[in-house]
Structure formats: C-alpha cells, structure tokens
Amino acid sequence: YMFLKTNEKMACGLVVASRSYADFTPEATFDIKKVDLHRLEEGPPLTATLTREEGLKYYRTMQTIRRMELKADQLYKQKIIRGFCHLYDGQEACAVGIEGGITLSDHLITAYRAHGYTLTRGGTIREIMAELTGRRGGIAKGKGGSMHMYTKNFYGGNGIVGAQVPLGAGVALACKYLGNDQLCVSLYGDGAANQGQIFETYNMSSLWKLPIIFICENNQYAMGTSVERSAASTEYYKRGDYIPGIRVDGMDVLCVREATKFAADHCRSGKGPILMELQTYRYHGHSMSDPGVSYRTREEIQEVRSKSDPISMLKDRMLSNNMASIEELKEIDIAVRKEIEDAAQFATTDPEPPLDDLCSHIFANDQPFEVRGATPWTKLTSTS
C-alpha cells in the first residue's frame, strides 16, 4: 500500500511538472479598468497582455513583499525591530506594477513605506530584514533602519513627509541634463499631497519639462485621517492643474503596469511631467504604533481583502486562464516562506555594526579622515 501511495505521489509530481511545460496557456489578454484622465485626449489601453512567466514573477514578488511585511510585524511585536516601521502589505500591486512599466536603469524615490520598493529595485530579503533589525549585513549597513534603504537608482526611503518629491525632480533634471533617456518616478502618499513643496515641484518640473512621473499612492487614510476629512479636493490626479494626470486602480498589477508604461512613454517623448494617482489600500495601520482600527472598521479592511486583494486578483486570473496550477502557486508560497524565515534568522543573528563604523560612508570615494565625536576628546575615523 505504501509503495502504491509513493508511486501515486511521484506520478502526481510528474503530472504537475509536465503540465508546466506543455499544457499551460503561455499568454492571455485581460480587460482592465478604464482610467480617469486629466488634460489628456487618450489614456492607457483597456486590455493588458500577460505572459505566464510575467504572471509567475509578479505573483512571487508580491507574495514575497506580503510575507516579508508580516514577518516584520511579528519581529516588531517581539521588540527585535525597533523605532519607526511602516508596512506595505495591501499595496503590493503598486510597486510591482510600476516596476513592470519602467526599467531598472530608470530612477525611483519614495517616502518611508519603502520595504517593497527596496526589494523590487534589487535589494535582497536578507539585506532588508537585517536593515530592519539594525545589523551589519543590512542594506545600509544597519545604520538606516526601516525608512532609509537604498540601492542603485533607488534613493530611499525618506523620513520627511513630501521631501522626496523635489529630490526626485532633481534626479529627473540630471536625466534631462545627461540626455540619457531615463526618467524618475517620484512617489508620495495622499497625506503628503497637501504639502506646499509638492506644488513648487510641479511648477519647476513643468517649466523645465522634466522626465518625471509623480505618483500619489492614495491609500485613503494618510496617517489616520480619511481623505474626505483632510483634502478639499480628493481628485489627486488633477492636483497638477497644468500637468496631465491619470487615476488608476492601484490594486490591479496590470492596470498599474499599463498606466506606468503610458506615463513613461509620455516622459520619454519630451512632453514633460505626468501625474498618476493609484487608488490603493494598506492593511496595517500607518506605522506599527497605529493599530489602524480607530478611524476605520475591521469590517472595511476585511471587505477590501476579500474583494480587491492584489495577490488574489492575479492568482484568480492565472488559474481561471490555465496559466498556472494551484500546486505550482503553493510551491512558490512555500519557497517564499522559507526564504523569509532564513532571512529573519540571519537578521536576528548577524552582529550589530561596531561603534567604529558610525562615521563611515560619509563620502563615496575619499581618503579616511577624522570625525569629531560627541565630545572634543572622542575621535572617530570615516572611511568610504
């Protein structure tokens, strides 16, 4: 009996393996939600083509972000992660969709809900988790923490509300100056959308026709106040006034990808900036110190999870069009969980950076030099 059962399991495994090469649909086209337009004659297409490889890649990345954030929540509650910590679960389609519409040679800057973008921009799970726990193997050597992570062409992780937007315009100015056909994506939230510096940046970017995509990730509640109570106009995609804008379903990875491709083409053709509003939702509170249920109900969160979850939406599309099997997606889930557990183990055992490293990396390429400590008689050395 055991022999038969084993053979049966092996046969099932072979069936799943063989299906992955022969029987799956290699590509499918889906209807996507029409976007709202501002100062534009036409917008992104109403259909999106997804290959099986893209679907599996998007699924794995979104699932990795989700599981990584849930692990961060757990480590925070165990007091292993300290300080500020803003989680991205619920908004995965934004990061993955944006990356699907640009290239890694383009530039991106965001606010402090940055873990997902650090991953999509090329950071590893181990580096991100170790940075959250303040360890030497972290992506910023354990000196940045949750809000300050960087990779090539990714400028953080910025802790000051809205301050990253003018910095993004500076990056876009460099792209234009160098004439390299690159662009900058500058992200901010619905709370930051009321900042004066953002409107100043709109003005400069429009005057200079900078290749910048302004993206408002509207997750409805800023730091804990609904958009209706904090903004006289909740049509964030129209806030640029003289800058064209589009409002997009930020829970659908394909909608976000097609809108980003459209916006990137607009910028690269020399038409200047464009504004995107992604209507999305965060499952956690604003930060780990916010339980997230004093200004909204648990039922509301549950309803969004059940009807609009970005991972479930992609999974359903793939399964209903025979682009993947349930077993295959479960295998991805198991592999992702193992990867997260391994990274968490590393993040809790890796040593903290020594005091000698405190002043290092002030400059990228420079000779070591002396830095005065907290008192005149303490001296530290800075190395690049």
Side-chain angles (χ1 to χ4, degrees):
Y1 174 76
M2 286 302 289
F3 174 75
L4 286 170
K5 274 289 179 193
T6 306
N7 277 353
E8 194 181 306
K9 280 184 181 175
M10 284 171 68
C12 286
L14 287 170
V15 169
V16 171
S18 64
R19 276 190 69 198
S20 64
Y21 295 106
D23 299 338
F24 290 122
T25 308
E27 186 176 289
T29 301
F30 300 94
D31 292 330
I32 53 175
K33 201 179 285 184
K34 187 180 181 183
V35 307
D36 298 310
L37 303 176
H38 170 67
R39 285 186 178 268
L40 287 164
E41 292 299 316
E42 55 184 75
L46 298 177
T47 59
T49 301
L50 179 72
T51 66
R52 173 176 144 75
E53 287 70 30
E54 286 171 342
L56 291 173
K57 180 185 167 191
Y58 298 163
Y59 180 81
R60 188 185 191 100
T61 308
M62 289 201 287
Q63 197 65 274
T64 302
I65 295 170
R66 176 73 55 89
R67 291 286 152 202
M68 188 170 69
E69 296 299 57
L70 294 177
K71 177 53 75 171
D73 171 90
Q74 188 185 334
L75 293 176
Y76 198 96
K77 285 167 179 168
Q78 292 171 356
K79 294 186 165 56
I80 294 168
I81 295 172
R82 303 276 188 149
F84 292 105
C85 187
H86 307 81
L87 302 182
Y88 200 67
D89 51 320
Q91 299 183 212
E92 296 90 352
C94 297
V96 175
I98 288 166
E99 294 290 3
I102 57 173
T103 71
L104 285 173
S105 61
D106 290 315
H107 308 263
L108 192 143
I109 189 167
T110 188
Y112 34 75
R113 204 176 300 281
H115 309 161
Y117 289 102
T118 310
L119 183 76
T120 61
R121 289 266 101 190
T124 67
I125 304 167
R126 278 166 72 101
E127 288 173 329
I128 294 165
M129 296 302 291
E131 192 57 45
L132 287 170
T133 57
R135 306 303 171 106
R136 189 188 255 173
I139 202 158
K141 315 290 185 197
K143 295 196 263 183
S146 170
M147 301 195 293
H148 304 289
M149 301 187 189
Y150 313 90
T151 65
K152 184 173 171 57
N153 297 337
F154 174 57
Y155 306 86
N158 291 269
I160 307 298
V161 173
Q164 71 279 3
V165 180
L167 298 181
V171 174
L173 176 61
C175 292
K176 182 165 185 174
Y177 181 79
L178 296 169
N180 55 20
D181 201 35
Q182 295 169 2
L183 57 84
C184 184
V185 173
S186 198
L187 293 126
Y188 55 98
D190 50 288
N194 299 319
Q195 283 271 320
Q197 59 190 325
I198 289 177
F199 293 90
E200 292 177 48
T201 308
Y202 289 163
N203 184 55
M204 269 188 193
S205 302
S206 191
L207 278 173
W208 297 342
K209 287 203 166 3
L210 299 183
I212 183 168
I213 307 173
F214 295 107
I215 300 186
C216 175
E217 287 184 290
N218 177 7
N219 60 22
Q220 321 293 332
Y221 288 102
M223 286 180 68
T225 307
S226 69
V227 290
E228 292 80 15
R229 292 178 59 220
S230 62
S233 165
T234 57
E235 293 181 313
Y236 296 100
Y237 71 111
K238 294 182 178 178
R239 290 279 192 98
D241 186 14
Y242 37 79
I243 296 174
I246 52 179
R247 182 164 58 189
V248 183
D249 178 2
M251 302 300 270
D252 181 349
V253 69
L254 296 183
C255 270
V256 178
R257 186 190 72 181
E258 295 308 310
T260 306
K261 283 181 182 176
F262 174 84
D265 289 344
H266 176 96
C267 286
R268 291 195 219 279
S269 64
K271 293 177 185 171
I274 188 167
L275 206 158
M276 275 170 63
E277 176 189 343
L278 302 181
Q279 293 186 306
T280 185
Y281 199 84
R282 55 171 166 77
Y283 294 156
H284 266 85
H286 170 69
S287 70
M288 286 302 295
S289 59
D290 167 24
V293 288
S294 58
Y295 46 84
R296 58 182 182 176
T297 63
R298 291 184 195 277
E299 290 71 31
E300 179 185 303
I301 303 166
Q302 198 50 49
E303 187 179 3
V304 176
R305 275 184 186 275
S306 61
K307 291 182 180 175
S308 308
D309 184 75
I311 299 175
S312 299
M313 196 185 299
L314 177 64
K315 182 179 181 178
D316 292 346
R317 275 179 173 153
M318 293 190 73
L319 292 176
S320 61
N321 285 270
N322 193 35
M323 298 179 81
S325 66
I326 291 174
E327 295 81 7
E328 188 177 19
L329 297 180
K330 274 183 182 169
E331 280 175 19
I332 292 173
D333 295 347
I334 291 164
V336 164
R337 286 186 191 204
K338 185 181 185 317
E339 209 176 343
I340 301 292
E341 287 303 325
D342 291 348
Q345 180 65 27
F346 172 72
T348 51
T349 54
D350 192 48
E352 293 181 356
L355 184 63
D356 293 348
D357 281 1
L358 182 66
C359 295
S360 293
H361 312 112
I362 292 173
F363 296 108
N365 294 299
D366 213 336
Q367 294 297 314
F369 62 96
E370 203 174 70
V371 178
R372 202 193 91 165
T375 58
W377 52 87
T378 51
K379 305 288 182 190
L380 294 158
T381 303
S382 179
T383 54
S384 297

